[in-house]
Amino acid sequence: FKGKRYYFIEIEKLSENQIYLSQYDLNIENGSIEKPLKPLFRIGMPLFNNHKKKLGVLIFNILPNDFVAEIKKTNPDYSGSPQILNSDSYWLQGGSKKDRFGFMFANKKNINFKSKYLKEWEIINKSDKGQFVSDLGVFTFQTLNPEKVLSFSSFNFVTKKQSDSNLKHWKLVSFLPSAKLN
């Protein structure tokens, strides 16, 4: 039963031709985070009959590619560390596997990119893209908007604006440590 999950509640509020895109998070089954961890999106929409009466909702679980693995596969000689962060600097992909999706675990709320790289996060968070050198190494970053990447022309995407922090934007960050520069 998924009727009390945030994405189902939001989908039920939608009008015809609106699509809901959930945040990128971990699947929950029977009130607990599923093991092994299953990161996914949910895309859903209400279903209406010819008389505009709502009949139900349609929800797809989308298991995205591991974008970081794809980057590494297409650039095998690259010795940096690509990672995808949500707008609160939590790792969604890349980084240490044990640190991913910290926002979903009570004991990991303080484990994010910002807590490890405070000065660097402040620079990354203020710009859409760029590259800079810090005491730690070279950081290259680009802002990504998941809604634009997954847009459909005849539909209107709707998200939980304020609380879906990892849908506001993501940061694709590549870090090349100083030790590897030489």
Side-chain angles (χ1 to χ4, degrees):
F1 177 72
K2 301 293 185 182
K4 295 186 190 238
R5 298 286 293 135
Y6 73 91
Y7 55 87
F8 187 90
I9 292 167
E10 293 302 318
I11 293 167
E12 280 206 302
K13 296 177 187 175
L14 299 182
S15 302
E16 200 168 12
N17 292 331
Q18 289 185 312
I19 295 178
Y20 178 78
L21 175 62
S22 78
Q23 65 178 335
Y24 181 42
D25 61 13
L26 299 173
N27 193 45
I28 294 181
E29 291 295 339
N30 301 314
S32 298
I33 294 173
E34 182 179 3
K35 300 274 176 43
L37 301 181
K38 186 191 285 184
L40 50 80
F41 292 100
R42 291 137 204 107
I43 295 178
M45 63 188 296
L47 300 174
F48 293 84
N49 67 14
N50 291 340
H51 304 290
K52 309 283 186 203
K53 181 181 181 214
K54 191 180 291 187
L55 301 174
V57 300
L58 178 64
I59 301 173
F60 291 99
N61 286 341
I62 307 296
L63 300 167
N65 288 341
D66 185 339
F67 304 117
V68 169
E70 293 294 323
I71 291 169
K72 289 179 178 180
K73 189 167 97 178
T74 58
N75 300 288
D77 296 330
Y78 179 68
S79 57
S81 173
Q83 46 212 298
I84 297 177
L85 312 171
N86 73 10
S87 60
D88 291 327
S89 87
Y90 287 102
W91 282 280
L92 302 176
Q93 291 187 4
S96 170
K97 277 190 173 187
K98 67 179 178 48
D99 294 340
R100 293 180 194 162
F101 297 95
F103 61 93
M104 294 199 66
F105 299 93
N107 63 337
K108 293 184 177 184
K109 298 280 187 198
N110 63 342
I111 299 175
N112 55 31
F113 186 90
K114 179 180 175 180
S115 67
K116 188 171 183 178
Y117 306 104
L118 178 61
K119 290 187 327 190
E120 292 78 8
W121 175 249
E122 289 173 353
I123 295 168
I124 290 167
N125 198 35
K126 288 180 183 171
S127 299
D128 283 340
K129 62 183 177 179
Q131 183 177 57
F132 62 93
V133 178
S134 79
D135 295 340
L136 302 172
V138 177
F139 290 82
T140 307
F141 64 96
Q142 172 75 44
T143 302
L144 306 172
N145 182 329
E147 291 180 51
K148 288 183 181 173
V149 171
L150 298 167
S151 65
F152 298 100
S153 60
S154 62
F155 290 94
N156 178 20
F157 269 110
V158 177
T159 61
K160 283 173 49 185
K161 302 285 187 239
Q162 299 305 316
S163 59
D164 280 354
S165 64
N166 75 25
L167 273 177
K168 292 177 191 171
H169 66 266
W170 295 341
K171 295 287 185 172
L172 172 60
V173 177
S174 180
F175 170 53
L176 185 60
S178 297
K180 291 188 178 182
L181 285 173
N182 296 329

